[in-house]
Amino acid sequence: MIDMDSVICDLMSEWHRRYNRDYDDDLTVDRLQCWESERYVKPECGLRIYDYLKEPGLFLGLKPLPFALEVLERLHNKHHIFIVTSSVSTAYAEKECWVEQHLPFIGRKNLIFAHRKDMIVGDLLFDDAPHNLLGFSATGRTAVAMDYPYNRDVNVPRVKSWLEFEKFVNHLWRGE
Ligand SMILES: [Mg+2]
């Protein structure tokens, strides 16, 4: 089970680019020490930081993170891969298009929209959100963190890149 935002897609760069443009700031993901983005933006923005997530076209235009597509294709040949993503519902259609366009071998039929990832059947979750990592690992299954400053307090295996994640998975299921 693979998360989409900030794991497959680089949401933060484009989200922050739009915020920085409008509020004359220089926010980057390195500044986010916890999940609540509103704590790291200018007060005049505050919770409006989340309004960007409802802008048409935002999710459709996101760039893949380095090696995400290549590694997913290799892993897809050996494992059952599902993309499990949670977002504002207005983004669902764009996310379906993104998967069809960039990951046709996975396709929209293996795309699951879920806020409760711990309730989905699967052996392993690769995610960046602290609540998803904690909830999934609490079920006794393996949650792997894509390393970001905002999830460093979560005590699960973590990787800094897709190539590192590929090594982790190959080691976990070596010989199978
Ligand atoms: Mg995410």
Side-chain angles (χ1 to χ4, degrees):
M1 296 166 50
I2 314 287
D3 174 41
M4 208 161 166
D5 300 321
S6 300
V7 172
I8 299 175
C9 311
D10 182 8
L11 171 61
M12 294 290 183
S13 296
E14 181 56 22
W15 186 9
H16 295 161
R17 188 190 68 76
R18 292 177 185 213
Y19 158 76
N20 289 333
R21 172 199 64 196
D22 294 347
Y23 289 90
D24 191 25
D25 202 354
D26 56 3
L27 179 64
T28 64
V29 69
D30 300 328
R31 214 199 286 172
L32 306 184
Q33 297 296 318
C34 83
W35 187 245
E36 282 80 40
S37 291
E38 69 272 21
R39 292 169 58 171
Y40 305 99
V41 298
K42 291 188 174 179
E44 56 267 40
C45 176
L47 288 168
R48 278 198 284 273
I49 186 66
Y50 298 109
D51 291 348
Y52 290 101
L53 301 176
K54 296 179 194 151
E55 287 186 353
L58 171 71
F59 286 92
L60 196 58
L62 295 183
K63 304 258 189 312
L65 281 164
F67 298 105
L69 306 184
E70 296 89 330
V71 171
L72 273 169
E73 188 154 18
R74 290 199 289 269
L75 292 178
H76 163 76
N77 292 325
K78 294 191 260 184
H79 304 280
H80 295 292
I81 304 282
F82 294 90
I83 296 170
V84 186
T85 183
S86 149
S87 64
V88 292
S89 51
T90 47
Y92 287 178
E94 292 192 13
K95 287 186 153 189
E96 264 197 16
C97 288
W98 200 98
V99 168
E100 286 288 313
Q101 191 184 342
H102 295 274
L103 298 163
F105 51 90
I106 293 177
R108 64 185 182 84
K109 294 201 171 166
N110 294 306
L111 173 62
I112 299 168
F113 293 105
H115 299 297
R116 285 291 304 277
K117 299 188 183 185
D118 58 317
M119 299 303 288
I120 308 294
V121 175
D123 298 313
L124 181 150
L125 174 69
F126 185 26
D127 210 294
D128 64 304
H131 54 280
N132 291 329
L133 296 165
L134 288 167
F136 197 81
S137 63
T139 67
R141 295 174 288 172
T142 305
V144 181
M146 180 65 105
D147 182 62
Y148 287 102
Y150 55 78
N151 64 28
R152 297 224 168 110
D153 290 344
V154 182
N155 187 22
V156 294
R158 64 183 51 245
V159 296
K160 289 186 187 302
S161 70
W162 268 91
L163 294 177
E164 217 180 296
F165 177 67
E166 184 177 32
K167 272 189 204 159
F168 180 92
V169 170
N170 286 340
H171 180 74
L172 196 63
W173 283 299
R174 62 192 178 278
E176 284 183 30

